[in-house]
């Protein structure tokens, strides 16, 4: 043991002495050609940033609470999912209501037009899925016309054999049939108002456009009204279906036509000529006149005695022809046609008032200008139509 310890110490001593004799390594001088590292640029101070807001937890999206099958059926609600114009156009109500073909409207026609919802016992609304809509059956359907302007469908649906309560869908039958009886917008500007008003039942076929093989349209007595100042006409009609066993009166429709021809424009259409006796009549009235002013004064003072049906004949230019007008002095009206005669029937001058505006004599001829100053309560003012009249035979009676 001691022998081994001695040998170990000797070995350590020898190793230490050897290391003392080794030369100490010197650092190598740096190569001047070697690129020296660039000094680091000072760091810019960091800009302060807004602290992040903590994430706001999103509310859970509400989920539909599905009622049981029984509750879904019993609390079922139906409403139109489209506009009135769309469902009126889509449904074959004419066949269903007018022709009595109840099979014309069923669930196949109604379902695409409906919004269907139900609710839970707690009252939370539930919208039926497409799969649930396909499970619906139509138990009954009827149309209920009401006294007002609208009617309604009454229907009962069932879901998986469970019937709903009775459901109601508004449906205005008057608006439906109004689609097929249209006011002709170009009628009024081609006609005078008063004559159309007087013979409105005769003009109905021209004023309204509809299929005469399917529908009959009749003016409702006492419904027509006219406004001379606004040149408008309002009226109501009832529509019936020809050759069906359905309801007699399908709809009652109201119309207003406006933009009728103005009577102030009659100057280019209305004409007047005299009868043979007028020349001598005016000559007797003009005795003592010395110039145009006195001539006008004398004829104007007595115009009530000669501006009459007895001496004058009025006419109306219609499509390159001249239609004689009738002057009924007793009824105080100048009119064109009647129920049988259509030409110029729209002209109806009630209580016309004329006024002599000028008079000029040239030998046995007298040149007059007569103004239509008013018709009924409508006064024309500066827009009064002026009619020229040439009187031949202005001389004393032979």
């Amino acid at each position: 043991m001691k022998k081994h310890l001695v040998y170990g110490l000797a070995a350590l001593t020898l190793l230490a002495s050897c290391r003392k004799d080794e030369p100490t390594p010197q650092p190598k001088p740096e190569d001047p050609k070697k690129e020296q590292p660039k000094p680091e640029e000072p760091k810019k101070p960091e800009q302060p940033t807004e602290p992040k807001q903590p994430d706001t937890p999103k509310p859970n999206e509400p989920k539909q609470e599905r009622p049981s099958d029984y509750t879904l059926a019993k609390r079922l609600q139906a409403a139109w999912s489209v506009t009135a114009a769309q469902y009126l156009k889509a449904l074959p109500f004419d066949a269903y209501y007018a022709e009595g073909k109840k099979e014309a409207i069923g669930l196949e026609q109604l379902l695409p037009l409906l919004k269907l919802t139900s609710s839970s016992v707690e009252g939370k609304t539930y919208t039926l899925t497409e799969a649930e809509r396909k499970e619906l059956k139509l138990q009954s359907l009827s149309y209920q016309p009401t006294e007002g302007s609208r009617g309604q469908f009454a229907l009962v649906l069932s879901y998986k054999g469970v019937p709903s309560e009775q459901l109601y869908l508004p449906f205005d039958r008057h608006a439906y049939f109004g689609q097929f009886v249209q006011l002709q917008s170009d009628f009024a500007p081609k006609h005078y108002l008063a004559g159309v008003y007087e013979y409105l039942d005769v003009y109905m076929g021209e004023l309204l456009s509809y299929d005469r093989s399917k529908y009959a349209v009749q003016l409702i007595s006492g419904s027509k009204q006219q406004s001379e100042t606004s040149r408008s006409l309002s009226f109501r009609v009832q529509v019936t279906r020809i050759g069906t066993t359905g309801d007699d009166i399908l709809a009652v429709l109201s119309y207003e036509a406006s933009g009728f021809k103005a009577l102030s424009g009659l100057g280019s259409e209305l004409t007047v000529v005299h009868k043979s006796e007028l020349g001598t009549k005016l000559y007797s009235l003009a005795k003592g006149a010395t110039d145009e002013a006195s001539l006008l004064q004398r004829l104007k003072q007595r115009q009530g005695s000669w501006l009459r049906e007895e001496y004058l004949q009025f006419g109306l230019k219609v499509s390159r022809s001249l239609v004689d007008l009738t002057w009924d002095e007793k009824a105080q009206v100048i009119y064109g046609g009647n129920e049988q005669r259509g030409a110029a029937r729209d002209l109806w001058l009630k209580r016309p008032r004329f006024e002599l505006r000028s008079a000029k004599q040239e030998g046995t001829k007298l040149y007059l200008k007569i103004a239509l100053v008013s018709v009924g309560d409508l006064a024309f003012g500066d827009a009064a139509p002026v009619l020229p009249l040439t009187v031949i035979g202005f001389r004393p009676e032979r």
Side-chain angles (χ1 to χ4, degrees):
M1 181 74 177
K2 289 181 179 180
K3 187 176 180 180
H4 289 295
L5 183 59
V6 173
Y7 284 124
L9 289 173
L12 289 171
T13 302
L14 179 61
L15 179 60
S17 62
C18 291
R19 288 188 174 181
K20 287 180 180 179
D21 296 337
E22 292 178 0
T24 304
Q26 297 296 322
K28 293 182 179 180
E30 293 185 0
D31 187 353
K33 295 180 180 180
K34 187 177 180 181
E35 186 178 349
Q36 298 298 317
K38 294 181 180 179
E40 293 183 1
E41 293 182 2
K43 292 183 178 180
K44 294 181 180 179
E46 294 183 359
Q47 296 295 325
T49 58
E50 293 185 7
K52 290 185 178 180
Q53 297 293 332
D55 292 338
T56 304
K58 294 181 179 179
N60 293 329
E61 293 184 0
K63 295 182 179 179
Q64 285 200 112
E65 183 178 334
R66 188 189 187 284
S68 66
D69 291 350
Y70 180 84
T71 304
L72 185 148
K74 287 300 180 183
R75 300 173 76 91
L76 190 64
Q77 297 293 321
W80 297 115
S81 63
V82 296
T83 65
Q86 289 173 311
Y87 67 70
L88 289 173
K89 185 177 181 180
L91 292 177
F93 187 71
D94 189 17
Y96 176 88
Y97 186 72
E99 299 177 19
K101 297 177 180 178
K102 302 306 179 186
E103 70 280 5
I105 298 179
L107 194 59
E108 181 181 352
Q109 289 75 32
L110 289 171
L111 199 56
L113 309 173
L114 297 182
K115 177 183 179 182
L116 296 165
T117 60
S118 186
S119 60
S120 64
V121 177
E122 293 79 15
K124 294 182 178 179
T125 302
Y126 176 79
T127 302
L128 273 68
T129 65
E130 196 61 37
E132 290 165 339
R133 291 167 67 96
K134 292 178 180 178
E135 293 285 342
L136 293 171
K137 306 294 181 186
L138 181 62
Q139 296 283 79
S140 65
L141 176 70
S142 62
Y143 182 75
Q144 299 174 343
T146 58
E147 294 298 326
S149 63
R150 302 181 67 178
Q152 60 187 6
F153 281 112
L155 65 156
V156 175
L157 300 174
S158 66
Y159 179 75
K160 292 186 176 180
V162 181
S164 69
E165 301 296 330
Q166 192 162 61
L167 309 172
Y168 298 97
L169 294 168
F171 191 92
D172 188 343
R173 76 183 193 278
H174 307 285
Y176 176 83
F177 288 105
Q179 299 176 110
F180 309 111
V181 184
Q182 294 288 318
L183 187 69
Q184 293 280 52
S185 59
D186 61 344
F187 175 85
K190 298 176 182 177
H191 295 81
Y192 292 107
L193 169 62
V196 174
Y197 173 84
E198 193 68 25
Y199 299 109
L200 184 55
D201 52 345
V202 180
Y203 276 110
M204 199 61 63
E206 297 178 57
L207 188 55
L208 297 177
S209 173
Y210 57 94
D211 187 345
R212 288 164 179 75
S213 67
K214 293 178 67 174
Y215 303 110
V217 176
Q218 183 179 358
L219 177 67
I220 295 177
S221 177
S223 70
K224 64 179 181 179
Q225 292 183 335
Q226 67 171 330
S227 171
E228 294 177 338
T229 53
S230 63
R231 305 201 309 275
S232 62
L233 170 68
S234 62
F235 59 95
R236 291 186 300 136
V237 301
Q238 61 184 28
V239 182
T240 56
R241 189 71 153 80
I242 294 176
T244 66
T245 57
D247 294 54
D248 289 336
I249 299 176
L250 300 177
V252 174
L253 307 176
S254 299
Y255 296 95
E256 181 172 350
S258 59
F260 285 89
K261 293 170 67 174
L263 290 175
S264 57
L266 270 173
S268 61
E269 297 181 7
L270 192 63
T271 65
V272 60
V273 295
H274 70 90
K275 299 176 183 179
S276 59
E277 300 87 354
L278 183 60
T280 54
K281 173 71 175 178
L282 294 181
Y283 186 87
S284 64
L285 296 176
K287 281 182 180 180
T290 56
D291 53 21
E292 287 186 12
S294 60
L295 174 64
L296 174 62
Q297 181 183 14
R298 290 173 182 273
L299 296 182
K300 195 171 183 179
Q301 286 176 343
R302 301 288 302 277
Q303 68 178 23
S305 66
W306 62 270
L307 269 175
R308 300 177 55 186
E309 184 272 335
E310 180 182 354
Y311 298 105
L312 300 177
Q313 173 64 58
F314 287 93
L316 189 70
K317 298 174 185 176
V318 179
S319 300
R320 298 182 180 180
S321 62
L322 186 64
V323 178
D324 286 340
L325 302 179
T326 301
W327 190 351
D328 187 339
E329 286 192 274
K330 186 176 181 180
Q332 300 183 59
V333 61
I334 298 174
Y335 60 92
N338 49 39
E339 289 88 347
Q340 290 75 36
R341 190 180 69 177
R345 186 167 48 202
D346 57 323
L347 186 67
W348 183 272
L349 304 178
K350 185 70 174 178
R351 302 197 318 275
R353 190 166 70 86
F354 296 97
E355 182 181 275
L356 180 63
R357 290 288 175 88
S358 69
K360 182 180 179 182
Q361 179 189 1
E362 290 185 4
T364 59
K365 289 184 180 180
L366 195 60
Y367 296 95
L368 307 179
K369 288 186 179 180
I370 301 170
L372 176 62
V373 294
S374 67
V375 174
D377 297 327
L378 182 64
F380 299 118
D382 294 337
V386 178
L387 312 177
L389 173 63
T390 301
V391 180
I392 301 172
F394 183 67
R395 57 178 177 263
E397 187 175 1
R398 294 177 181 177

